[in-house]
Amino acid sequence: MRVEGIVQGVGFRPFVYSLATSLGLSGLVGNDMDGVFAEVEGDADVVERFLVLLEQRAPPLARIERVTTAGLAPTGSAEFAIVASAAAGADGAARRRTLISADTATCADCLAELDDPADRRFGYSFINCTNCGPRFTIVRDVPYDRALTTMSGFPMCDRCAAEYQDPADRRFHAQPVCCPACGPTLTMLDAAGTATPTTGPPGTDPIAAAAAVLRAGQVLAVKGLGGYHLAVDAASEAAAAALRGRKHREDKPFAVMVADLAAARELVEVDDAAAAMLTSPRRPIVLLPRRGSGTGPDTGRVAPSVAPGNRQLGIMLPYTPLHHLLLRTFAGPMVLTSGNVSDEPIAYRDADALERLAGIADAFLVHDRAIHMRTDDSVVRPFRGRETVLRRARGYAPEPLPVPVTFTRPVLACGAELKSTFCLGRGRHAFLSQHIGDLENAETLASFTDGIAHFRRLFDIDPQIAAHDLHPDYLSTRFAQDLTGLEVVGVQHHHAHIASCLADNGETGPVIGVAFDGTGYGPDGTIWGGEFLLADLKGFERAGHLATVPMPGGAAAIRQPWRMAASYLAAAGTAPDGLAVMTRNEQSWAAVLTMARRGINAPATSSAGRLFDAVAALLGVRDAVRYEGQAAIELEQLADTTVVDWYPAAVDDRDPLRILGMDLVRAAAADLVAGVARPVIAARFHNGVAAAITEVCAELRDRSGLGTVGLSGGVFQNVLLTERVATQLAERGFRVLVHHRVPCNDGGISLGQAVVAAARTAPG
Ligand code: ZN
Ligand code: ZN
Ligand code: FE
């Protein structure tokens, strides 16, 4: 019998051992490069029962993908044994098919020991077992063995070694197993990186010192699982504001870590679905509505600067013993944000972290277990009771995603630019990397290329095909084209979005794909981003889009949404007196209009993101943004969700269909001048976009006969819009596919590229 899937480092062999012995079966179990193999001997019906229970009672972290069985000649042995790891796989070839599991939050058994004064790991920050602890972030190579992890420098003490070798023990073959006598230790460093002497029982004092730093309103750097975090007292406005200033992170909301569900419920609305996400062993940041629907009631508990003007708050529960101990000692909500300056990747190497975070952190809580793979916190949110991943990283990567195509030849897909990920495909599996960041600087590019090399080694994938975006200037495109000896496949950005949505849902299409985002390279020389594609995995036809408008100043129009307001108002042929957006930008307004009219440095775009920008600027939400999507995010926050009426947008009935987005802007401007409340206008705009999408889908169904719609692209991170669109489409009898396991934003692009490449290069 062979078991494949995530079956190593998750307690699978001891589980097989105890299951077999409890049933009175004899035989053996072991690990090899392919997974777990076992031979069991006994009565046929008992063996049958064994196979049923094998899948039913598998350990919590195991993901069984395939069990294959074959008859063997009985040996007559009465024993059941766990045998040594074999270096080769089932057929003797030294392949690496073993799947490494993701990092996992501290389990209940370990937490109980952490709190038990009689336990030798009482209060120990690195307690873990087969069911929990670091995995992906500490693995250097496979097979998953301690010698190939960053725990290799910590030889086990006799007691740990005994547990490690005892098949009946919870720590049997738990590679990171350790204790205060043999494992990593915590140290507090001051702002200059000098160790601070602490007194008292070993292992406890750095925590107390760190909690004191938080209580004093200072910024604490904490070494976590996948990188360094910066922490402050979430209730302290001064501390949160100082962190914002030093990090140069003016507007993006911070996540907050709280001790437990009860503490989370004091800050945000937690229903059953949200509770399941918060307490899952993956422990993502969960975006949830703040208590009392807004900015009021939780103030005092959470300072205004933590998530300014946001109806939602990103909440997570502790996922390492260190976090548990720190939060208990500090006894309050704690901001926990990536240890970096603005857009750089999260710091994870000790020396680098000390250098980069100098001037930000007042003190460092560090330890001597190295982080091998930089991995950020994941971000999810519930949508209609189901988890929707917005940033896929710690706790999720590198768990492979089953896909609805076969990679007949291994594929490397290089993704896009913002929120970059890469994806390796082999067989029926896609290995999607963790979130890497915006591929715009050398540091992130290095993280991207190192990550690809690591994944190739870890999963033994030697790609023969490289998939990339059509944008010639993306670093990811150039990287793919510079690879020698690989067949390259260019995939249009929005086709990749729709393919990603299909793969996420285990489908192959065809569908009516609605890809709404900020920017994507269009093969016709315009910038796409409000697209209706009749698509399957292989190809697409552009069946509709938002009518194009000029982007005056090109990239400047992305940074300054007021330029899009000017462009859209011009396209709408309206300029009512008294529009504040015009007076605020009086000096350059005429010049921008000229630029738009003459098409000088004003590329045409059908981007939905730019339409949202225009309305946001029109309503005075903001004239300039400091991060991608900011104006649209704030426009959503502004909208009165109880408003159900909408602005109509005409659909120009040609091929491809064109939605006249300028109609929405004209109506919004008229309402604004008439004194209609801004939250009402914001809502009518959202509802108008939803109505137009539904209208076009209905028309395309008439033309194509397709009854399924796939929604993808970063604009669908907008819950209000997605909710409205999904509802209206369902009312009109459509099946609607939305993202769940991979982000609808550009973090999902590489998966889409990979499955498109697989479909296009499949034989026959
Ligand atoms: Zn555990
Ligand atoms: Zn030990
Ligand atoms: Fe996109």
Side-chain angles (χ1 to χ4, degrees), residues 416 493-494 497 516-520 628 713-714 744-746 749:
H493 188 90
H494 302 95
H497 270 306
F516 271 37
D517 67 358
T519 298
E628 191 214 4
C744 65
N745 60 48
D746 284 4
I749 285 287

Side-chain angles (χ1 to χ4, degrees), residues 538-608:
K538 253 192 183 139
F540 72 93
E541 176 204 333
R542 191 189 198 198
H545 59 86
L546 281 177
T548 58
V549 292
M551 267 170 71
I558 298 176
R559 292 190 299 271
Q560 299 176 344
W562 72 265
R563 289 170 182 255
M564 291 313 301
S567 180
Y568 259 108
L569 285 167
T574 183
D577 286 340
L579 278 182
V581 67
M582 287 171 70
T583 36
R584 283 196 312 269
N585 301 284
E586 210 166 17
Q587 291 200 329
S588 322
W589 191 270
V592 158
L593 281 185
T594 307
M595 216 185 262
R597 205 173 310 120
R598 296 197 187 148
I600 302 160
N601 190 18
T605 187
S606 53
S607 162

Side-chain angles (χ1 to χ4, degrees), residues 1-3 7-8 12-13 29-32 34-38:
M1 174 196 82
R2 308 203 48 80
V3 186
V7 290
Q8 291 193 3
F12 208 83
R13 286 173 303 162
V29 62
N31 271 346
D32 65 19
D34 287 330
V36 166
F37 61 89

Side-chain angles (χ1 to χ4, degrees), residues 618-701:
L618 179 69
L619 296 190
V621 169
R622 63 175 47 247
D623 286 337
V625 297
R626 290 197 264 228
Y627 63 89
E628 191 214 4
Q630 183 179 14
I633 289 167
E634 293 176 359
L635 183 65
E636 180 191 357
Q637 301 294 320
L638 175 69
D640 178 347
T641 55
T642 62
V643 172
V644 293
D645 56 343
W646 71 94
Y647 300 135
V651 176
D652 193 346
D653 187 22
R654 49 174 131 167
D655 192 16
L657 297 166
R658 297 182 321 151
I659 295 175
L660 302 186
M662 41 293 278
D663 289 356
L664 303 173
V665 176
R666 189 186 304 107
D671 265 1
L672 192 62
V673 170
V676 176
R678 291 156 66 245
V680 174
I681 301 176
R684 286 175 177 164
F685 167 70
H686 275 82
N687 298 343
V689 174
I693 290 174
T694 307
E695 226 31 72
V696 170
C697 287
E699 174 63 30
L700 293 178
R701 175 170 58 189

Side-chain angles (χ1 to χ4, degrees), residues 28 31 61 100-101 173 179 243 264 269 284 353 398 467-468 474 503 553 566 630 642 661 757:
L28 57 85
N31 271 346
L61 299 188
I100 304 288
S101 67
H173 277 227
C179 74
L243 177 57
E269 311 277 353
H468 62 79
Y474 283 174
Q630 183 179 14
T642 62

Side-chain angles (χ1 to χ4, degrees), residues 120-121 156-157 159-160 178-183:
R120 68 198 185 87
R121 294 186 180 88
M156 276 179 259
C157 68
R159 296 175 76 179
C160 284
C178 60
C179 74
C182 66

